[in-house]
Amino acid sequence: MQNLIEELNNKQKEAVLAVDGPCLVIAGAGSGKTKVLTHKIAYLISEKNVKPWNILAITFTNKAASEMKQRVENIVGNVAQEMWMGTFHSICVRILRKYIDRIGFDTSFLIFDTSDQKTIVKECLKTLNIDDKMFTDRSVLAEISNAKNEMLTPKAYQTKYAGEYRKEIIGKVYELYQKRLKENNAVDFDDIINYTIDILTNNPDVLQHYTDKFKYVLVDEYQDTNKAQFTLVSILASRYGNITVVGDNDQGIYSFRGADITNILNFEKDFPGTKIIKLEQNYRCTGNILKAANSVIKHNENKYEKKLWTENEEGALPCLYQAEDEYDEARYIVEQIEHLKTEEYFKPKDFVILYRMNAQSRAIEDILRREDIPYKVVGGVKFYERKEIKDAIAYLRLVQNPSDNISLKRIINEPKRGIGKTSLDNISQISDETGTSMYEIIKNAENYGLNRIKANSNEFINLIEDLRQKKETLSISELLKEVLNKSGYTKALENEQSVEAETRIQNLEEFLTVAMEFEEESADNSLAEFLESITLSSDIDGMEDEENSVTLMTLHSAKGLEFPAVFLVGMEEGIFPGYKSIGEPKELEEERRLFYVGITRAKRFLYLSYAKHRTIFGSTSYNAVSRFIKEIPEELLDANIQENDEDDFGELEFNWEYGRHNQAKVKTYTFDTEDKVDIKPRTTYQFRTAESFLNSLNQKKAQTEVDITKYKQGQRVYHKKFGEGTIQKIEPEEDDYKVDIEFDKAGHKRLMAKFAGLEIIE
C-alpha cells in the first residue's frame, strides 16, 4: 500500500490520508479524483483495518461505481465486493427493499420510469378534468420532480403555493399522482431517495443500524447533489462524521435536474471542522487546452478559486473555425477527423462531437453517413425505450407485481386479445372505485359481471399465473423466453413478415443477451434486481468502450468522459449560450461551466466551430460568435476565419430576423461602429444538393421497406430531425398517408408516412 501512496502527488496524498472528520476535495477536471477516492478506500481497508461493509461510497452513474469498485478490488482484492458502492438510487433501493413496508408499500415494489410517469400524469389530468394543453404531462412532471427535489410532499407543496392558480392545479395532480403510484405499488426516481429519508427519519432502529454501519462515507461529484441527496448523506454520516466529498464547483451543470451548487459551496459550514484540499494538477489535457479552459472559467464568480496546471506538453492550440452553415461545419469536422486518422493514427473512437442541443446532430450525421464514417449517438431513441423492449419489460413487471396497472394496460392486447378500450376503461373505473388492481379484477371477472372479458383474457391470466409460480426457479433469460413464446408476442411479429418486425425480433434477441449478461454478473439473480438494473441504467452506462465509432452527444452527457480529440460545435450566441440564459447571470454562469466541461474533455486536440447562419427547428438564424469564444485570448486560438469577417468578433446588436435558406431577403446588422452593412444570406447549394440526393435515396428505400399501416393515432414516435412526438391525425394520400404529429420540442408537423422515417417508441 505504501507504494500506492507514493505514486500520488502531494495533494492527492493529503486527501487520501485525511480519513478522520469531514474533508472537501476540490478536484479540477482531469486531476485524478477517482484515483483519490479509490486509494482512500483501499487505504481505509488495508492500513486502517476498516471493514469493507463499514464503507459507503456514492457515485452518480452505475458505470462510475463499477469502475471504482473494480479499481479498489485491484488493490485490496475480493474484500472490496463487501463494500456498499453505487449510485444514490441503487444504494437507497437496497434500503427500501428491506424496509419500505414501514411506509405502506410491498417489498416487491416497482420503479416507474419517465414513460410510466407520463402515463400516470395523463390519467390524473383526465380524472381531474384538467386541460392537457394548458398543463402538459411534461411540464407537470417537471414541477412534481422539482417539488420532490425540494422534499415537498403534496400537502407541503399545496400549502407553499396556496393562491398561485397554476401551482394549485399542479398540487392536485401531484396528490393524485402519488396516490396512483401507491396503488400500483410503485415509486418514481425522486421517491427512491425521499422515501429512504422518510424511513431513516421516522424509524430509530433503522437509523441506528445504518449510521452505525457506515463509519466512512465518500461521495463523488458532490457539486451535482440536490437537497434530498444532501439530506441523505448528512443523515448517514451523522454518527461518526467521517465524510469525504469530491467535486468541482466549476463543473456544476445540472441545476435543471435540481442540483444545488450551494451544497459544495457551503460544505464547510454544514460540516464544521472541514479540511479543504484542492487538486489542481491536470493529467488529461495539454497545456494550451488548459490555458483556454482557465481563461474562460475565470469570468465566473468562484468561492474556491483554482488554476489548473499540467506537466504535459503545451500541444496544439485549440482550433477555431468559422463555417458558412451547419453543413460546412460538419464537413470541416470530417476533414479534421480524416486528417488526424492519417497524421496521428487516430481511430474513430478517439473523436467526440459535442453540442448544446440534440437537434444539432442532424447535419453532422448526414455528412458522417455520406462519408461512411461510423458513429453512435448517445441520447437518441434508447434501447430500453423501443416499443418491443418496453412491452417485454411490462410482461416481466406484471409477473413481479400484479398491482402494476400501467404494465397491464400496456400488454393486455399485445398481441391482440379482443379486449377493447371501453372494457379497459370500465375495468380501470372499477379499480379506482374499489382499490383493487386491474389484474385482480380481470382474474375474477365473473365476480364483476365481466364474463366476456373473462373469456378473452383467460389465456393471458393463466400465463401470468404460471410465470409467477416459475419466477423463483427460472433464470431471468428463461423467464423472458417463456414470456415471448407463450404470450404469442414473437409469433405475432413473425407473422407480420416485415423489415420492421424483423428488427424488433432482433432487438428482443438482444434483450435476451442483456438478461444473460445480468445472470453472469449478479449474485442475487432475482427478477426484482433485474428490473431495477434496467430502470436505473443511463445513457452513459450503455456506452460500449470497445465500439470503434465517432461519438455524438450533448455536453451534459459528456461529463466525466475524455477523448483524444473533441469538437465543440455551434459556438454562437443564442445556441451556446442559449437565448434563455442571456441576461440571467446565474444561468449564464452555468452555461460557462458547461463550456468549461466541454473544453476539459479534450486530451490532445480541441476544435471549436460556429456558423454564420444555421437552420434549426425549421428556421434560419444569423448569430454572432459566442461570448465564450471571445473570453479565450486570441493568442490561444488557431483561428480559421474568412477575410473581411473580422467583425464577427465585434459587439453586435441583432435584428433577430428569421428566414429560410431559399429566401433572398437582405438582412441589416448594426455594428458598434454604427456602420450599416447589408448582407445577403449565403446558400451553400452544393451541401443542399448532397442532402437532397441523400434524401431521395432514403425516400426510395423507405418506399420499398416501410409498412405505413403500422401508424396509429395517439402513438408515440421518433423522428431524426424533430425528436419525439405524438401522432394526432392520419389521412390517406394516394398510396401514402399524411401524418400530423405534435412534436415535444418542434411543435406541429405534417409528414408523409413513407418518407418520414418514423420509429414507434411506445
Side-chain angles (χ1 to χ4, degrees), residues 594-623:
L594 188 58
F595 183 43
Y596 175 80
V597 166
I599 292 175
T600 54
R601 298 313 93 195
K603 296 169 72 174
R604 293 182 57 194
F605 296 96
L606 173 65
Y607 298 91
L608 308 166
S609 60
Y610 66 101
K612 293 181 181 178
H613 49 86
R614 181 181 303 276
T615 302
I616 194 165
F617 302 131
S619 297
T620 299
S621 57
Y622 290 74
N623 302 332

Side-chain angles (χ1 to χ4, degrees), residues 469-475 478:
Q469 291 178 13
K470 292 179 177 178
K471 73 170 184 169
E472 302 301 332
T473 56
L474 293 180
S475 68
E478 289 169 340

